[in-house]
Amino acid sequence: MIPTLYKFKQIYLIFIMGLLLAACGRSKKIDVSNIPIDVKIERFDHDFDGLRTKPMEQQAMLLLKKYGNFYRDYTEQILQAGSINDTGYFSVLRPVFKGRPYLDVKHDVDSVYPGKLEKQEAELTDAFRRIKYYYPQKRMPKVYAYFSGFKAQTAVGDGYFGIGLDLFLGANSRFYPALIEVFPHYISRRFTPDNITPRVIEGIAREDMFPESDNDKTLLSKMVYNGKILYFMDQILPDTPDSTKIGYTTQQLAWCTDFKSTIWAYLLEQNLLYETDYQKIQTYISEAPFTPQLGSRNESAPKVGVWTGWQIVKEYMERHPEVTLQQLMANNDAQKILNDAKYRPK
């Protein structure tokens, strides 16, 4: 009887140690240095400017050859200059190139980003390697830098990811106050170089790898979906601050941490988890300066549903170290994730 009990204890201890090691392994930074990916951000904006300084038809052929679908999508969809199948769009671009606004934007973009985006290339190289570590079959996109006339911060297409540098000029850019109706300060304050890599990874996750299901109608399902995206970013961007990943100020992040039990109690008391009314749901997951129903003197953080969903997913993964990142991202049962997380903030 004693040997049997001893053996049971041994098995139990081995099992517990295994769980602990798995949990530690999840938080430990993995080594991806040997994965053969090196990101180069092509300066499409510089090549595109060649349409201003060189014979247009010749330069257009070079752009189409070098950038393919991106050149077509950029000209036809972002600039809306017309089809590139004929040269009619040249007549749209000529006055743009001659105008002061284009030259001013080009000046400021080149001042902030004069040459290669070496810092962002190094960050994206590490991030893309991590994606490849978890998803070996994933085909990583080519990365292009452009400016959009303040229309599109990022662009995702067939085989490419585009970065709109004119919307990453720094929070104090002279252009953003004039765009306050489109990009209020609580959004434009994040238009900084440090936000490029997180927004690329978030865009790849949301638009390419894990698009949100049309079946996600409830606030809970949207909370868990957004929580999974942020948890994915945790694994791919281990050195990026949480505030940058979710788009909070440090004060907003601290407020959520301090009042996490209040937030959760409010969502439960108001029966919001299974709410399907679009307008009501947006209050808790959309960009805003604060959440009007919570906090005093407008001190609350916005997107409290997104933040809470993130905490639910973290808790779920901490309680279930046997679940892989791939299994988490493929799990669309928000209710089961909530149940198994046993989320009870104090």
Side-chain angles (χ1 to χ4, degrees), residues 66-260:
K66 182 174 181 179
Y67 294 101
N69 289 331
F70 178 72
Y71 177 56
R72 181 183 302 277
D73 294 346
Y74 176 78
T75 304
E76 297 179 359
Q77 298 179 25
I78 297 177
L79 296 186
Q80 297 181 347
S83 171
I84 66 169
N85 291 333
D86 58 60
T87 59
Y89 71 101
F90 291 171
S91 63
V92 177
L93 294 180
R94 284 192 182 98
V96 172
F97 286 134
K98 291 179 181 178
R100 188 81 240 166
Y102 171 83
L103 296 175
D104 285 346
V105 173
K106 175 174 169 50
H107 172 272
D108 284 24
V109 168
D110 286 343
S111 295
V112 178
Y113 304 104
K116 292 183 178 180
L117 282 70
E118 294 180 350
K119 178 177 183 291
Q120 287 77 21
E121 286 180 342
E123 292 172 347
L124 287 173
T125 292
D126 185 76
F128 280 22
R129 287 175 178 178
R130 292 178 189 281
I131 292 177
K132 202 73 172 175
Y133 173 86
Y134 290 107
Y135 293 87
Q137 303 307 314
K138 170 64 182 168
R139 184 168 66 98
M140 302 310 300
K142 294 182 178 179
V143 184
Y144 304 135
Y146 65 94
F147 53 84
S148 67
F150 308 105
K151 292 181 180 178
Q153 191 176 42
T154 58
V156 184
D158 184 14
Y160 69 76
F161 195 99
I163 302 167
L165 295 181
D166 52 338
L167 290 174
F168 290 103
L169 290 175
N172 296 320
S173 169
R174 58 173 168 159
F175 299 114
Y176 300 153
L179 303 170
I180 195 167
E181 290 189 9
V182 181
F183 302 114
H185 178 67
Y186 63 83
I187 293 178
S188 66
R189 66 172 179 77
R190 306 196 300 264
F191 290 176
T192 62
D194 286 345
N195 269 277
I196 288 180
T197 297
R199 300 293 72 84
V200 171
I201 299 307
E202 182 178 15
I204 289 174
R206 290 184 183 278
E207 305 298 329
D208 181 20
M209 297 181 70
F210 317 109
E212 186 174 13
S213 170
D214 292 336
N215 296 325
D216 289 351
K217 303 292 187 183
T218 67
L219 177 59
L220 174 62
S221 64
K222 292 183 179 298
M223 287 167 57
V224 171
Y225 168 76
N226 283 283
K228 286 163 55 180
I229 294 295
L230 285 163
Y231 187 85
F232 176 82
M233 293 175 70
D234 287 338
Q235 312 314 306
I236 305 305
L237 301 170
D239 298 322
T240 299
D242 285 353
S243 56
T244 303
K245 278 178 280 194
I246 195 171
Y248 278 172
T249 63
T250 53
Q251 292 81 5
Q252 288 171 336
L253 188 66
W255 183 90
C256 281
T257 302
D258 291 342
F259 292 97
K260 59 184 177 182

Side-chain angles (χ1 to χ4, degrees), residues 1-11:
M1 189 68 184
I2 294 176
T4 304
L5 178 60
Y6 177 74
K7 186 175 182 181
F8 171 79
K9 287 182 176 179
Q10 276 189 314
I11 294 171

